[in-house]
Amino acid sequence: MAEIETSWSKENDVDDYVKDKLKNLGLEKGKDFSEKDGSDYLKDALKGYSKTDKKSGVGVPDFVLEKYTYTDHHESYPCPVFIESKFSLTKLEALNGDVLKTDEKSIKNYAINGALHYARGAIASGKYRQAFAIGIAGDNKENVKIKVVLVQGSANEAYLFAPLHSLDFLKNQETFEKFYHTCTLTEERKHQILIRTTRDLQEHAKKLNELMYKHSIPVAERVIYVSGMLLSMQNIETEKGLIPFDLKGSTSNNSRDGVLIYNRIEDFLKTKITDSNKLNLVLSSFKDICKDQDRDKPTSLNDLVSKIIEKEASSNKQIFTYIYKNIYHEIEGFKFGGYVDIMGECYSEFLKYALGDGKDLGIVLTPPYITKMMAEILELNHNSKVMDLAVGSAGFLIASMQLMSEQVKKSFVEDSEDYKEKINHIKQHQLLGVELNALMFALATTNMILRGDGSCKIYKGDSFDSTLSSTIKDFNADRLLLNPPFSHSENGMPFIKLGLDNMPKHSLGAIVIQDSAGSGKAIKTNKEILSRHTLKASIKMPIDLFVPMSDVQTSIYVFESGVPHDYDKIVKFIDFRNDGYKRTNRGLKEIDSPTERYSDVVQIYKNGFSAKLKASWDLKSVYIEDFINDSGSDWNFDTHQKIDTKPNLCDFKKTIADYLSWEVSNILKDRGKILGKPQALVCLEETFKANGGDWREYRIGDLFEIQRGNISNRISLKEDLNGINFIAQNDSDNGFVKKVANSEKYKCFAQNSIIIGRQTGIVYYQPQNFITTDGVLVLSSEIIKNRYIGLFLTCILKKQLLSFGYTNTVSATKLNRISISLPTINDQIAFDYIEAYIQELEQERIQELEAYLQASGLKDTTLTQNEQIALHTFLDT
């Protein structure tokens, strides 16, 4: 007699299922795994990580496995596995687009979100580098879902969904490590996380700005609050940093929240800054945090923190808690790609609301993906000595330190004594920055300290002051990175001259600066530079690079020091105005393979026309090798761009099409064809209504099966003209990219499907079989019987999904909940009406095509109906 499967009724049933699974793998409770327990070492790592985040208690995962390790550079590291189980399949995960939510409700109520919370906490403690998080949810033994995530940092998105939905990899150390090596983050994924982390920090900074405004914190103090509170959260040797629980709202002067924060800042900085003058200078910037006793009195909670603080709290505690929850872990957790300039992102956000913004101050901070690219162009290695004479918030030094540290990993065994010594030497002796602005100096120092230091050679002062000349000269930098104040004389070019003049022969320098500096506004300095140094390259950057702080056109100039410019040698000019991004006040939007383009531009700089490129480029139009003269005013791409005045085929086609379009409109006017809705459609709609037709709402999830493409790396797809259509979330060509060789490893989707771009929100009907990327959702259903129904549904979906885009991505979960309206008769979808409606519109288009053929003299040309439609669509486009 077959066993009757019973449904589970509580979470303990799921726990029992997990235990059985682990035991079937040969794992023993108490020896190989723990339930609601763990070693003292693990418990210490999870202090402050209870799921409510309101107390400093220890986090308690449902199950923990501590027996596994992974190997990196021949060294083994512990890798705990956290398992959270939930009753009901609906409790597996809570997503925002394709990103796991990290709010308190999601952590508490969803399996994988809770497991991720514990994994991030363990890594944030510094005791672990990586961990696995596993969520398990189900209704009974036959209906269980498992999600596995490899967590590589405590930052919000420092994880990767693993390609496995079982626990089999936990069988032994061999199966564990084999699976681990299939889950490591790619460079492309790291770059995507870099961009998203930057965007998330901008959003948090915006909300934090609102919170501080509500608590009457002056604009000038806000970024100091962020940097100071982040410092107070740092560990000092064996003593853990401040956490929200430590702030009690005391009114006693010595234990006020602001005083506790400031004292902790002072204690921490004393361990990092040995120069007493520099220490006092930096500390003086943080005294604002404790100066106002009213900020330490308990008050009602702002909405932004009401869910993470239990009762009334001081203004200082509310701000501290928001920073701890949303920003602190980004700094601590971005271990594999620390290019993000935390202080710079916050400062730029706060600056938008200040009187006399960054344009007036001449302070426009460089985005982290630009500092990273410029450091790569200069080919930094672990022995480089990098200088920035207008250091700002230290964005260039952060990018340099990160890139140099990555180079160290290629030459030394990670965590060996030699490795540690070299990393320390980079931070202590190979990075120099000078900053005149007192606030920016404090931010730069803080920023470097929060990155594991590197602040000892950050100097407060004027780079052109004689008191710093020997410091700059003796540093002996061989790399120079700059974004000088735009308000400085000659657009800031004297900064690059000063740096180059103080560097050994054949050193390299790069500056991002206003275009006008290379086209006539800095002739005096430019001529002096050319008399001693060589201009190697000029890279024209997007005009919206610094939006919304500034909308000036900028270029990057690259120099070689100590070699007078040879006017008989070519200079490389690169047009990088299309970097793949569109910038708005809301953030970055990916429109044209930006990850690949930033990698490509470095290759173009290095190899010119021989560069091996990943994105699509017209290299002949964006890369020029040309000579400059000694005027100092012909340094920009546009000056050397040779415009072909001879019209090509496309130019002639457009001229003719424009004229014929006018003639077509006249013919249609004469026929009365554009006076309103076609009469046939009017009759069709009236008949529909007379037969009881109405519009009814249907949930998308009830109409369609929603699936996701599985191609993550389009670069590897080889073109095959006899192959299958490859579709992506492009804004044109119906999503078509090219025909590629079909492969069993890619899921093939059937014809008569509809695709939706997850980030772009585009919607296209697909009449043929195709494969597609993981950035695309595919809607398939038996109701899409032909192209007429497919096109009708596409139009309906487009209208419904207008609100989706890069900052509000489409997901299957969201689609399942959305409803669309469709025409019905007798509670059944009116497919005959839908087909007739689209057919009538096609006929109208054919009439327009006939008018075109008459105007063009091609009336007697024999075309099939489909050919006519295709031709008209082409001409219309």
Side-chain angles (χ1 to χ4, degrees), residues 149-191:
V149 169
L150 173 61
V151 188
Q152 296 190 298
S154 62
N156 275 350
E157 290 192 49
Y159 61 82
L160 190 70
F161 288 110
L164 184 70
H165 302 284
S166 77
L167 302 179
D168 292 346
F169 75 103
L170 298 175
K171 186 173 183 179
N172 53 50
Q173 175 62 32
E174 183 181 354
T175 57
F176 177 88
E177 190 150 8
K178 183 178 180 180
F179 178 66
Y180 165 81
H181 286 295
T182 68
C183 300
T184 52
L185 293 177
T186 64
E187 289 303 314
E188 181 177 354
R189 171 64 174 157
K190 290 178 183 179
H191 183 79

Side-chain angles (χ1 to χ4, degrees), residues 312-367:
E312 285 189 341
S314 69
S315 296
N316 278 332
K317 179 169 182 175
Q318 292 188 46
I319 295 167
F320 182 98
T321 303
Y322 188 90
I323 294 171
Y324 182 84
K325 175 74 174 176
N326 298 297
I327 297 178
Y328 169 67
H329 293 304
E330 291 302 324
I331 293 178
E332 292 301 298
F334 211 75
K335 303 201 182 286
F336 53 78
Y339 296 97
V340 180
D341 175 6
I342 305 292
M343 295 300 99
E345 294 300 331
C346 292
Y347 181 78
S348 295
E349 185 62 39
F350 299 150
L351 204 59
K352 296 176 189 177
Y353 304 91
L355 295 175
D357 63 14
K359 286 179 281 189
D360 296 329
L361 296 172
I363 300 173
V364 183
L365 301 177
T366 314

